[in-house]
Amino acid sequence: MINPFVKNVKSFSVYLIIWIFIFLLHASILYFVIDLPLRTCIIDSLIFNFVFLAIGISLWYPTKFISFENFSVIKIVTNHITAAFITSGIWIAVGYFITSQIFLTNFDYLKFLYASLVWRFFIGMFYYFIIVSLNYIIIYYNNFQEKVLKEAELKSLVKEAELKSLKYQINPHFIFNSLNSISALTIAEPERAREMTINLSTFLRKTLSNNENHKSKLSDELKNAKLYLDIEKIRFGDKFNFTENISAGCLELEVPNMILQPIFENAIKHGVYESVDPVTINFTCEEQLEYMKLTITNNYDVESVSRKGEGIGLSNIQSRLRMIYNQENLIKFSKNDGIFTVTIFIPL
């Protein structure tokens, strides 16, 4: 950590202004209270305060060395009282030597100077403890700032790792379900199985190519999600339809990667799988005040016994939205009159 009094021009200017104020106060007391000649007051104040100005800068280093991390409180107090005695003694000796040489024939001033050494000594100790206390405050503040910064970096790294972990859960989950679908068609309809395999490889190539990014344009995300629907379309044929209604501004806005595919997968698993009638999966997007509102609906057979899922898809999306945008309730689910609705709000 660089000496804060000399680390830049601004810091040194503040330090210098404080000593100019002390210089003026010192000279004023000598002139108005002690009644010394103005020239004598100025020289006396200038010499003594300039010497401590230089000593004060060097006090940063013993303060750094005598730290609360390495010494007990008693040892710190003892060390600083000793250092204050030595520092004040050096200050008095240097100041006395210089001023006595300047006023070598001014016996009245020399008499005053000699008589004032005691109170000057205690002023020197007072200066010492003020500067050291200020140094400790600066050290504590800098350490606190550094700690806050490290904690923020650590939280960011943890958040990044958790986001990656959540994202990586999606790919194997999707691959597992897709391979099951392909397996079911391999013998009965090998051409369709081949087409599904090609779509699956295309999908994986796209997801792996932007795996390090957490967001992508809605147009890209939708394009990827449709690859999944194409795979399932081969398997289920006319059993489900996909419709979309997207306002023009939405396509260029960003959404978290892989946020639509688990919802479509959920619609296939709990809607198309279980329903005898055709299922329509509808996707709409519109800008609504400070949010982009994504709505995915699908009809389902209310009489059917729903498949029990692993609960990864929707809970994963909920966790990712909370971590990315630091907001709760950005995703809602509802079931009404045979329509399952998922609504996602993406902050703009």
Side-chain angles (χ1 to χ4, degrees):
M1 196 182 297
I2 303 172
N3 190 325
F5 298 136
V6 295
K7 72 176 182 182
N8 54 48
V9 176
K10 186 179 178 183
S11 300
F12 186 72
S13 299
V14 172
Y15 183 69
L16 194 60
I17 289 171
I18 291 172
W19 277 108
I20 290 174
F21 173 77
I22 295 172
F23 158 76
L24 293 173
L25 182 65
H26 183 149
S28 298
I29 292 173
L30 292 182
Y31 182 72
F32 292 108
V33 178
I34 309 299
D35 201 23
L36 292 177
L38 181 60
R39 176 175 169 275
T40 305
C41 297
I42 292 174
I43 293 174
D44 179 287
S45 179
L46 183 65
I47 290 170
F48 275 93
N49 289 303
F50 179 79
V51 171
F52 215 104
L53 179 152
I55 292 174
I57 292 174
S58 67
L59 294 182
W60 171 256
Y61 302 101
T63 311
K64 282 280 291 176
F65 177 73
I66 309 172
S67 65
F68 285 94
E69 289 80 11
N70 300 325
F71 294 89
S72 65
V73 174
I74 294 176
K75 204 162 186 178
I76 289 172
V77 172
T78 306
N79 285 339
H80 278 303
I81 288 175
T82 305
F85 264 88
I86 295 171
T87 303
S88 188
I90 293 172
W91 178 54
I92 293 299
V94 174
Y96 179 82
F97 175 77
I98 296 173
T99 49
S100 63
Q101 293 302 308
I102 294 174
F103 298 104
L104 198 58
T105 57
N106 188 338
F107 297 108
D108 290 337
Y109 172 76
L110 290 177
K111 186 178 178 183
F112 160 76
L113 179 63
Y114 184 76
S116 67
L117 290 182
V118 175
W119 60 260
R120 286 177 194 266
F121 179 80
F122 285 108
I123 288 176
M125 291 192 66
F126 175 74
Y127 285 167
Y128 176 92
F129 284 114
I130 290 292
I131 293 175
V132 165
S133 300
L134 188 60
N135 285 341
Y136 276 123
I137 291 172
I138 292 171
I139 291 171
Y140 175 80
Y141 177 76
N142 286 338
N143 288 343
F144 177 74
Q145 290 289 93
E146 193 176 342
K147 185 180 177 184
V148 169
L149 185 62
K150 283 183 178 177
E151 284 181 355
E153 288 176 353
L154 184 61
K155 283 182 181 177
S156 176
L157 289 173
V158 170
K159 185 176 178 180
E160 183 81 9
E162 289 180 359
L163 279 170
K164 282 184 178 178
S165 174
L166 287 169
K167 193 175 171 183
Y168 290 152
Q169 282 181 2
I170 295 294
N171 283 344
H173 190 60
F174 165 72
I175 294 168
F176 175 76
N177 288 318
S178 298
L179 289 176
N180 272 346
S181 298
I182 292 170
S183 175
L185 293 173
T186 303
I187 298 176
E189 300 179 74
E191 278 303 313
R192 295 173 72 185
R194 180 174 173 276
E195 192 177 343
M196 285 181 73
T197 306
I198 293 171
N199 283 346
L200 177 61
S201 67
T202 305
F203 177 85
L204 291 178
R205 187 164 53 248
K206 284 183 177 294
T207 55
L208 289 174
S209 65
N210 60 3
N211 225 357
E212 295 304 318
N213 300 325
H214 291 305
K215 294 180 182 177
S216 60
K217 290 180 181 177
L218 178 65
S219 55
D220 295 331
E221 176 63 16
L222 195 56
K223 193 175 178 181
N224 254 9
K226 282 180 180 177
L227 284 171
Y228 166 75
L229 290 176
D230 289 342
I231 292 171
E232 296 294 18
K233 187 72 176 172
I234 293 171
R235 182 178 181 190
F236 291 100
D238 296 333
K239 199 173 175 185
F240 82 89
N241 296 306
F242 176 73
T243 61
E244 62 184 27
N245 183 14
I246 305 170
S247 64
C250 283
L251 289 173
E252 293 301 310
L253 298 176
E254 289 192 324
V255 296
N257 278 337
M258 297 289 289
I259 203 166
L260 294 179
Q261 184 274 332
I263 299 174
F264 291 149
E265 186 178 326
N266 195 61
I268 295 289
K269 184 185 294 181
H270 300 288
V272 180
Y273 267 90
E274 308 298 336
S275 180
V276 177
D277 298 324
V279 171
T280 298
I281 301 172
N282 180 256
F283 173 74
T284 63
C285 178
E286 58 184 337
E287 293 176 69
Q288 204 173 72
L289 299 177
E290 297 175 347
Y291 295 90
M292 174 169 55
K293 183 181 176 185
L294 311 175
T295 307
I296 300 99
T297 62
N298 67 273
N299 55 300
Y300 65 96
D301 186 353
V302 293
E303 301 295 331
S304 69
V305 179
S306 181
R307 286 177 174 231
K308 189 175 181 182
E310 297 175 14
I312 293 176
L314 296 180
S315 64
N316 185 300
I317 294 173
Q318 198 164 25
S319 300
R320 290 174 65 202
L321 289 172
R322 185 178 61 248
M323 293 181 70
I324 292 172
Y325 299 106
N326 290 319
Q327 288 189 39
E328 301 285 347
N329 301 324
L330 289 177
I331 183 168
K332 295 179 180 177
F333 321 109
S334 66
K335 279 183 172 182
N336 288 308
D337 299 328
I339 301 294
F340 184 74
T341 304
V342 179
T343 308
I344 297 174
F345 295 92
I346 304 293
L348 297 176

